[in-house]
Every structure is written in structure tokens, then in C-alpha cells.
């Protein structure tokens, strides 16, 4: 068994794998460029999912399994992967803690007017007219009711918020007071003080939020997107914020990343920008590798890998 990585893995995690699986050959590289010469030998590939092409899949003639050490899969060459019958798993679920903390932190900074307070501090200005509001008791609508959405809802309920989930099925999920289908989105957007998107990038989620959705939101609503940037058209959102249809937007993801330095969002007081960092955590790789090891144990024993298996036809 030959396992190849095309992404940098922490030394302690590499050493643990080599010690735990002495019968397996591991080749750790820091990039797909370094990994390319080893692809024809690889049975298993560890990747962040953004470096694979159809041509590279063709070269990986022994490849049986791709483990994506992230949740995002939109850049994967799934057509070729499906043709080859290659197993794909990802690290879905490992982001729920940092991303839920990010959501609450960002909503609090908007509600408490933290940006202005920090500007006043820098200017040595004592201004007690900066008025905060509370997030306790508000209503939060979360588009996406998977592991991340459920953890956001759990923390929201700690603030005694009413939590609404939106999903394809509308199936009840833990920590949501109610869950509705995407077709019922418009009926519930007017209730929400906070609208949080944790949606992935799929054919079904592209431009999920449209101008008409922002038009029916509360004027003091806050929109937070930490899923994928293409769930709302960038120009549409720019016009929404220029026209102040809602109070504030917190954006961690964008259609084009990095966000161009000349983009108007950078200068807008009603937009908070972060550099696709909501899921960052010192525990990221250990959590991802824990999923990999659980599946690897099954894989080596000839069993059916089941944790976070991806359907290449759906892309998730």
C-alpha cells in the first residue's frame, strides 16, 4: 500500500502514521508539483482538493482513494473520478467548532459596534454615544443544517435565539427550533435578525440568495456568509450593501479569492471582510487526520469505507 500526500502534513502527524502503519509506504510532499512523479504508484492520495486535474487522475493509474483534508470539493475533477471508480472522502465536520465560534464572534462585533469602538480607541476618543445592541433573544436563520449549521445553531440557542434551518429536505435537525425546505426560504427570511450561510458550492447552491431575498429581509438584518462565495452573485450583493437594504454583511468567502484590493467592499463601513479564515484552527489537521485514520483502518482491512464518503455525481 502506497499513500501519497500532495499537501504539507505536520511532522508529528506524519510520524504517528508511519509508526501506526509500518506495513504502509508513505510519501509526504508539500505540493502537487512534488507529488506528481509519485502519482503512478499511489493507491491513496491525501490532498486539500484544489490541486487535482483530470490529467493527474489519468496519471494515477493505481489510485483507489482520495482523502480530501477539507470540506470544500468544488474544484475536484469528479467526472474523471467517477469514470475511474475512485473512492473520495473528505473532512466534513471538522470545521464546526471554529466556524461556529467565528459566526458568533462576528455577529457580536457588529451588534456591539466593535469596529467603531476600536477606531475611537486608536484616536484616543472617549465617546459613550456608541450604542450597542444585544443578540440575545434574536432570530437566526441558517442556510445549511449539516454539522457546521447545527453547531452555529447550538451556540445561538445559548443566547436564547430562535433558530431556523433551511435545507433541501426540511428534515428536523438538532439545535434547530424549526427546519424548512429551500422552497420555504422566502416565507421565513423576514423573521430573521441574522441570516447565516454555510452552504457548499454545488449546482444547486449557486446564486442561492437573490436580490429579492435581501429586499424582504429586515432593514437591520445582518447577513453572514462563511460557506462559499458563489451562493450570492457578487455584483448583486455589492448593490444590496450600497443601497443599504440590510444593516451589515460579514463575508469570509467570495466568488474571486483573494478579494481584489480595489474591490469596493474594502471601503464599506457596513461590510466586514475576513480572508476565508473562519475554519482555521490549530486542531484542523489533527481532526482531519483522525477521520482519515478511521477510514484507513477499515480500508486496509478490506472493509467498506463509510466516514464522509462523497458521491461524485452530486459533488458532496
Amino acid at each position: 500500500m502506497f499513500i501519497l500526500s500532495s499537501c504539507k502534513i505536520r511532522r508529528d502527524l506524519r510520524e504517528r502514521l508511519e509508526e501506526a502503519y509500518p506495513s504502509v509506504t508513505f510519501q509526504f510532499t508539500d505540493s502537487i508539483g512534488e507529488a506528481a512523479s509519485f502519482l503512478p504508484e499511489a493507491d491513496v492520495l491525501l490532498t486539500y482538493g484544489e490541486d487535482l486535474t483530470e490529467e493527474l487522475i489519468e496519471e494515477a493509474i493505481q489510485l483507489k482513494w482520495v482523502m480530501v483534508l477539507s470540506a470544500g470539493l468544488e474544484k475536484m475533477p469528479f467526472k474523471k473520478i467517477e469514470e475511474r471508480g475512485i473512492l473520495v472522502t473528505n473532512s466534513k465536520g471538522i470545521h464546526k467548532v471554529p466556524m461556529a465560534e467565528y459566526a458568533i464572534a462576528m455577529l457580536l462585533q457588529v451588534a456591539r459596534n466593535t469596529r467603531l469602538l476600536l477606531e475611537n480607541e486608536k484616536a484616543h476618543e472617549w465617546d459613550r454615544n456608541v450604542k450597542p445592541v444585544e443578540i440575545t433573544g434574536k432570530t437566526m436563520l441558517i442556510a445549511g443544517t449539516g454539522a457546521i449549521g447545527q453547531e452555529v445553531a447550538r451556540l445561538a440557542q445559548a443566547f436564547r435565539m430562535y433558530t431556523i434551518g433551511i435545507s433541501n429536505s426540511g428534515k428536523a435537525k438538532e439545535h434547530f427550533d424549526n427546519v424548512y425546505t429551500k422552497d420555504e426560504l422566502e416565507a421565513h427570511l423576514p423573521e430573521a435578525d441574522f441570516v447565516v450561510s454555510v452552504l457548499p458550492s454545488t449546482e444547486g447552491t449557486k446564486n442561492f440568495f437573490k436580490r429579492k431575498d435581501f429586499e424582504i429581509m429586515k432593514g437591520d438584518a445582518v447577513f453572514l456568509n462563511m460557506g462559499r462565495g458563489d451562493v450570492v452573485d457578487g455584483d448583486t450583493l455589492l448593490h444590496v450593501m450600497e443601497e443599504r437594504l440590510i444593516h451589515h454583511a460579514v463575508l469570509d468567502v467570495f466568488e474571486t479569492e483573494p478579494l481584489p484590493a480595489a474591490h469596493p467592499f474594502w471601503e464599506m463601513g457596513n461590510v466586514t471582510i475576513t480572508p476565508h479564515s473562519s475554519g482555521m484552527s490549530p486542531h484542523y489537521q489533527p481532526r482531519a487526520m483522525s477521520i482519515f485514520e478511521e477510514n484507513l483502518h477499515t480500508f486496509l482491512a478490506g472493509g467498506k469505507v463509510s466516514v464522509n464518503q462523497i458521491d461524485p455525481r452530486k459533488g458532496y
Side-chain angles (χ1 to χ4, degrees), residues 35-65:
S37 63
F38 300 103
L39 276 174
E41 307 169 60
D43 298 292
V44 180
L45 177 67
L46 299 173
T47 172
Y48 278 122
E50 299 180 342
D51 53 8
L52 285 179
T53 63
E54 291 191 353
E55 292 73 22
L56 290 172
I57 293 295
E58 288 282 9
E59 292 176 21
I61 57 176
Q62 302 289 341
L63 192 61
K64 302 173 184 66
W65 173 21

Side-chain angles (χ1 to χ4, degrees), residues 196-234:
V196 177
S197 176
V198 294
L199 293 171
S201 178
T202 68
E203 286 301 314
T205 62
K206 188 173 182 180
N207 296 333
F208 184 86
F209 289 98
K210 300 174 176 58
R211 180 184 172 88
K212 63 181 181 179
D213 296 321
F214 293 95
E215 290 175 341
I216 63 174
M217 290 183 195
K218 293 181 177 180
D220 59 357
V222 178
F223 175 71
L224 185 152
N225 186 12
M226 57 180 184
R228 283 296 184 265
D230 62 2
V231 301
V232 56
D233 175 75

Side-chain angles (χ1 to χ4, degrees), residues 120-304:
N120 287 348
E121 178 191 29
K122 188 174 182 180
H124 301 187
E125 183 176 346
W126 183 277
D127 182 4
R128 300 192 74 232
N129 290 314
V130 178
K131 302 299 183 184
V133 297
E134 297 179 357
I135 70 171
T136 296
K138 300 288 189 179
T139 294
M140 179 184 287
L141 182 148
I142 303 171
T145 60
I148 298 168
Q150 289 173 48
E151 183 66 5
V152 175
R154 186 183 72 83
L155 295 188
Q157 287 188 332
F159 287 89
R160 300 194 295 279
M161 288 194 207
Y162 176 68
T163 54
I164 299 170
I166 298 293
S167 69
N168 284 328
S169 68
K171 183 180 177 181
K173 291 291 183 72
E174 191 175 13
H175 307 304
F176 286 97
D177 292 299
N178 279 296
V179 179
Y180 302 97
T181 67
K182 60 183 181 181
D183 294 332
E184 299 173 279
L185 175 67
E186 286 186 33
H188 298 282
L189 277 174
E191 304 172 38
D193 300 290
F194 306 121
V195 177
V196 177
S197 176
V198 294
L199 293 171
S201 178
T202 68
E203 286 301 314
T205 62
K206 188 173 182 180
N207 296 333
F208 184 86
F209 289 98
K210 300 174 176 58
R211 180 184 172 88
K212 63 181 181 179
D213 296 321
F214 293 95
E215 290 175 341
I216 63 174
M217 290 183 195
K218 293 181 177 180
D220 59 357
V222 178
F223 175 71
L224 185 152
N225 186 12
M226 57 180 184
R228 283 296 184 265
D230 62 2
V231 301
V232 56
D233 175 75
D235 289 338
T236 295
L237 187 57
L238 176 60
H239 294 148
V240 164
M241 300 316 296
E242 285 176 336
E243 297 170 37
R244 298 187 178 275
L245 297 183
I246 62 172
H247 174 60
H248 203 95
V250 177
L251 307 175
D252 187 52
V253 288
F254 304 87
E255 289 179 300
T256 300
E257 295 184 4
L259 184 68
H263 197 286
F265 279 155
W266 290 107
E267 302 298 327
M268 298 178 72
N270 60 346
V271 177
T272 297
I273 292 169
T274 55
H276 203 146
S277 58
S278 60
M280 289 184 177
S281 167
H283 305 295
Y284 185 103
Q285 274 203 353
R287 287 172 176 154
M289 295 304 287
S290 177
I291 292 172
F292 173 62
E293 285 194 63
E294 183 176 352
N295 278 331
L296 179 59
H297 181 77
T298 304
F299 188 76
L300 292 174
K304 181 177 175 58

Side-chain angles (χ1 to χ4, degrees), residues 59-79:
E59 292 176 21
I61 57 176
Q62 302 289 341
L63 192 61
K64 302 173 184 66
W65 173 21
V66 177
M67 171 61 187
V68 182
L69 299 175
S70 69
L73 298 161
E74 61 270 18
K75 296 185 179 181
M76 293 281 287
F78 277 123
K79 183 178 179 181

